[in-house]
Amino acid sequence: RVAGFAADAERWQEIQTRQRVEFGVIQSYYTAMLAEQRVAVVYRALAATRAHLKQTENLFGHGMAVNSDVLRTNVLVGSLEQDRIQSESQLKIAWAILAHALGDEDQRLAPLQKPAELAGAASPPDQLDALVARAIAQRPEIKIANSRVNQARQAITVARADYLPTVEIAGVYENDSERFARAGNNAALLVTGHVNLFNGLATQSKVDAAQAQLSRAQVLNDDLRRSLALEVETSYRTLVAAEQGLEVARRDTAYAESALKILEDRYGSGLSTNVAVLDAQTTREEADMRL
């Protein structure tokens, strides 16, 4: 029985490992996809800033802008170039991590396709308490912990078995003939018994140790249940907050895009400053990154 509970724990351990591998691949995939989107945002911001730089240089050539506008725009272009270098490096790292998660370091994975399900993500319909109960009922960690508790409980029975008497039955058959078919010379049936009168409290020590292991397994089981409940609540609330933040990010991106267009038009007409345009471009890039 102890071996059976141990085998159950190992089977659930295999399931848990498989789930971790699957989750690792999914997580690496979305991380790489996100890195690609960040590179696209930087390239878009860099292209817009370079276009604004040309506009500023033209205005400066016609005496409608000061040299500081050109210099400040060049500074922003340089900053975006640094962002491009960093984002491209992070993208290569993300590709390498995804290839490692798939078990093929040399596999070419780029570019990735944006999953369609991201556009229609929705909060889980169940309530938080129902999700916690579902996790405790289905997670492999709980199955493993339950098997460990049963294994420890059975180990107490094994330890207590030393208090019980034991009976051994053995049979002996002798044949001294050169021919196997000849009847044997003698045979014997032995029955022996063993009674544990006193063994220096060794059995009691084994029982105490087994009970301590059971208490430890139960405490770990209870702690695991609380940890899983906290993990589910954290994931649930993080998802809800992310969905709400997504709506805010979409709205902010639209606002930032409109504000930038207005300021660029006003700057071309001499009604806005270069600083305001650069700030609007930075704001739009930040909004795109948050989205």
Side-chain angles (χ1 to χ4, degrees):
R1 291 177 182 176
V2 172
F5 291 131
D8 289 338
E10 292 300 327
R11 281 191 291 268
W12 285 109
Q13 183 72 42
E14 180 183 0
I15 295 175
Q16 182 187 22
T17 302
R18 187 180 302 275
Q19 290 181 354
R20 287 179 176 176
V21 171
E22 292 174 353
F23 180 76
V25 172
I26 295 172
Q27 190 176 43
S28 300
Y29 172 80
Y30 283 111
T31 300
M33 189 200 68
L34 180 61
E36 290 185 350
Q37 296 297 318
R38 287 173 175 168
V39 171
V41 169
V42 173
Y43 269 96
R44 184 167 60 248
L46 185 59
T49 306
R50 285 173 175 170
H52 178 69
L53 177 61
K54 291 182 179 180
Q55 181 186 23
T56 305
E57 291 174 344
N58 291 333
L59 293 175
F60 175 71
H62 291 82
M64 300 177 60
V66 296
N67 190 31
S68 60
D69 290 349
V70 178
L71 297 177
R72 188 179 181 90
T73 306
N74 274 305
V75 171
L76 181 58
V77 171
S79 177
L80 290 174
E81 285 286 355
Q82 292 180 348
D83 292 343
R84 178 188 62 80
I85 296 173
Q86 184 178 7
S87 62
E88 288 178 348
S89 176
Q90 293 175 349
L91 176 58
K92 293 179 181 178
I93 294 174
W95 284 340
I97 292 176
L98 178 57
H100 176 74
L102 293 175
D104 190 351
E105 306 292 345
D106 300 327
Q107 184 175 355
R108 181 67 178 176
L109 301 170
L112 302 177
Q113 295 182 353
K114 184 177 180 181
E117 62 267 18
L118 283 183
S123 298
D126 297 333
Q127 297 297 324
L128 180 58
D129 293 339
L131 293 175
V132 172
R134 179 181 174 184
I136 292 177
Q138 297 183 357
R139 288 284 290 269
E141 297 93 325
I142 289 293
K143 303 293 186 180
I144 295 172
N146 291 338
S147 296
R148 299 303 185 195
V149 170
N150 293 330
Q151 184 179 357
R153 184 176 292 111
Q154 190 64 36
I156 296 178
T157 304
V158 174
R160 287 175 176 171
D162 287 347
Y163 286 122
L164 302 177
T166 60
V167 177
E168 297 179 0
I169 301 176
V172 179
Y173 175 80
E174 294 184 1
N175 188 339
D176 299 330
S177 173
E178 296 180 356
R179 293 180 299 171
F180 181 76
R182 181 179 176 182
N185 299 97
N186 59 77
L189 180 65
L190 307 177
V191 179
T192 60
H194 174 79
V195 178
N196 181 8
L197 298 179
F198 182 74
N199 61 351
L201 300 180
T203 301
Q204 183 61 42
S205 298
K206 292 180 181 180
V207 174
D208 293 341
Q211 289 176 340
Q213 289 295 328
L214 174 61
S215 299
R216 179 178 183 276
Q218 290 173 336
V219 170
L220 292 177
N221 193 327
D222 295 338
D223 182 69
L224 178 60
R225 291 173 181 269
R226 289 189 291 267
S227 298
L228 288 182
L230 177 60
E231 181 181 346
V232 171
E233 181 177 2
T234 302
S235 301
Y236 178 84
R237 299 193 185 282
T238 301
L239 175 59
V240 173
E243 290 177 341
Q244 295 174 353
L246 180 60
E247 296 300 324
V248 175
R250 286 172 176 166
R251 184 184 61 208
D252 290 346
T253 300
Y255 291 161
E257 181 70 22
S258 299
L260 178 59
K261 291 180 179 180
I262 293 173
L263 289 173
E264 285 179 340
D265 293 339
R266 290 175 60 86
Y267 180 73
S269 303
L271 300 176
S272 179
T273 64
N274 182 63
V275 174
V277 176
L278 297 183
D279 289 343
Q281 288 182 340
T282 302
T283 300
R284 189 189 67 169
E285 181 192 8
E286 293 175 351
D288 289 342
M289 284 295 185
R290 287 194 298 269
L291 178 61

